[in-house]
Amino acid sequence: MSRTWKVAALAGAALLTRRALRRRIARSPLWPLPALETPVSGYSPRRWLRAPIVSRTEPAEGVLQLVLESADLPPWTPGAHVDVRLPSGLVRQYSLCGDPADTGRYTIAIRRIEDGRGGSLEAHAQLVEGAELELRPPRNRFELVPAPSYAFVAGGIGITPILPMLRAATAAGADWTLLYGGRTRASMPFLAELGAYGPGVTIAPEDETGLPDLTPLATTGPATPIYCCGPDGLMAAVQAAAPADTPVHLERFAPAGSTAPARPFTVELHRSGRTIEVAADESALAAVRRVLPATPYSCEQGFCGTCQHRVLAGEVDHRDELLTDREREDTMLLCVSRATSDHLVLDL
């Protein structure tokens, strides 16, 4: 083989090796470390999308409706929500309330909450028509299962994931009813759209009728699943009113939490060899960030998945609303979940 061919062959092999190493390091930034699996820590496979806001309206008092358009927006199903990154970097979750058949277009609605965590106030103040919004592809933990009939219950802004379900149920020829409650008619979005559905819709403003009457739910059975989204009190009442054999599907605005009292535990950071104490009144995320301040996080409510980390040992008290049963076998969300054992070992 001539010298030229040898040099070319060596250069080609070096290039392939370098590309392979780059791919390996991209999958596991802490590589090489012996006898360790590819880490989950700090990594999310969900990419960020960008879409302009083409419409901003207010369908009710204190409610902002945004329409986004882009050919890159993935398809979605009724009950899905998206993670939205606000201009400040905060990440919040909003249900898609448009029509899944309207490809390339997403619609979300945001209730202004004066004493909330600041996300809704920022959205109302800064998300204007023409601005570009960052969001992750849709996720759905509130899927509409096929059924011959449904009972829908919504409270306030909880109508947003229910709207696409009504369209889907109607298109499928299923029977359904909707009980929609709110403080006042003026505060309840999409009343005009719901009025087109006829007598199957019951509107129950609290200042007119009091609390929603849930007694009709007692007549539902296994063939009529109940779908409810709204405040915790409403969802608890729906669960209490439903017969034991009736499936009840809930979409929450905040983590359900746990009935177990919070207690202290220790966390061993396997990669760094440190052990830290987690007090009963602090999150595992806060404790970890004392020694690893660059640990990523965002919503601090167990919804976005930014603080998902691999658990190598110990029993976890999962308090999130995101992870699947499979993911809960070996990962946790540090912001809300805790330990049922005295000690956890994390891949950090």
Side-chain angles (χ1 to χ4, degrees):
M1 181 183 294
S2 69
R3 178 179 176 81
T4 301
W5 281 106
K6 287 182 180 179
V7 171
L10 288 172
L15 178 61
L16 292 175
T17 301
R18 184 169 61 180
R19 288 177 176 174
L21 283 173
R22 283 178 176 174
R23 289 195 296 270
R24 181 65 180 85
I25 292 171
R27 292 196 303 269
S28 177
L30 296 178
W31 182 86
L33 287 174
L36 289 175
E37 299 178 7
T38 302
V40 170
S41 303
Y43 171 73
S44 171
R46 296 184 293 273
R47 70 189 188 278
W48 287 100
L49 308 169
R50 294 177 179 271
I53 299 171
V54 298
S55 172
R56 171 184 165 129
T57 56
E58 295 185 6
E61 290 180 356
V63 177
L64 170 66
Q65 178 176 294
L66 302 175
V67 178
L68 317 174
E69 285 188 356
S70 171
D72 296 329
L73 296 178
W76 58 283
T77 55
H81 71 275
V82 290
D83 297 338
V84 171
R85 181 149 61 192
L86 300 174
S88 67
L90 290 175
V91 177
R92 295 293 184 263
Q93 293 70 41
Y94 301 111
S95 297
L96 292 171
C97 56
D99 186 348
D102 195 359
T103 57
R105 173 179 286 215
Y106 288 176
T107 302
I108 59 175
I110 305 169
R111 166 83 67 191
R112 181 184 178 95
I113 303 175
E114 299 293 342
D115 57 350
R117 295 179 299 129
S120 69
L121 299 181
E122 180 180 351
H124 277 247
Q126 298 191 36
L127 300 185
V128 298
E129 190 170 321
E132 191 174 61
L133 202 58
E134 285 188 294
L135 63 156
R136 288 195 181 111
R139 291 179 285 134
N140 200 335
R141 58 171 182 266
F142 195 45
E143 287 275 6
L144 184 67
V145 298
S149 60
Y150 302 92
F152 298 108
V153 182
I157 200 64
I159 190 63
T160 50
I162 301 296
L163 274 180
M165 293 184 177
L166 302 184
R167 301 187 191 104
T170 301
D175 294 325
W176 58 264
T177 61
L178 168 66
L179 175 60
Y180 178 25
R183 296 188 307 275
T184 65
R185 287 181 183 272
S187 70
M188 300 168 67
F190 310 117
L191 290 182
E193 182 175 345
L194 292 171
Y197 284 111
V201 176
T202 300
I203 305 299
E206 188 174 345
D207 65 338
E208 298 177 20
T209 63
L211 295 176
D213 180 12
L214 301 178
T215 54
L217 297 181
T219 62
T220 60
T224 304
I226 298 172
Y227 281 80
C228 177
C229 182
D232 286 342
L234 174 64
M235 290 190 288
V238 166
Q239 287 181 299
D245 59 351
T246 298
V248 179
H249 304 265
L250 305 175
E251 176 77 320
R252 299 183 182 276
F253 298 142
S258 171
T259 57
R263 60 186 185 86
F265 58 97
T266 59
V267 170
E268 178 185 340
L269 308 180
H270 183 70
R271 291 176 178 264
S272 60
R274 285 177 280 191
T275 298
I276 57 177
E277 301 285 338
V278 182
D281 60 350
E282 72 174 339
S283 68
L285 174 65
V288 168
R289 282 179 58 83
R290 285 203 304 270
V291 296
L292 297 176
T295 302
Y297 72 100
S298 182
C299 76
E300 297 186 83
Q301 291 242 311
F303 287 129
C304 73
T306 305
C307 65
Q308 180 179 352
H309 290 269
R310 187 182 300 280
V311 179
L312 302 179
E315 298 296 325
V316 179
D317 176 13
H318 292 284
R319 304 186 178 196
D320 65 274
E321 295 289 327
L322 174 68
L323 299 184
T324 64
D325 290 341
R326 171 62 189 88
E327 290 173 320
R328 289 183 175 190
E329 292 177 4
D330 58 6
T331 68
M332 68 180 288
L333 298 188
L334 299 184
C335 64
V336 293
S337 295
R338 303 185 64 80
T340 57
S341 57
D342 294 327
H343 186 69
L344 293 178
V345 180
L346 300 180
D347 185 17
L348 278 168

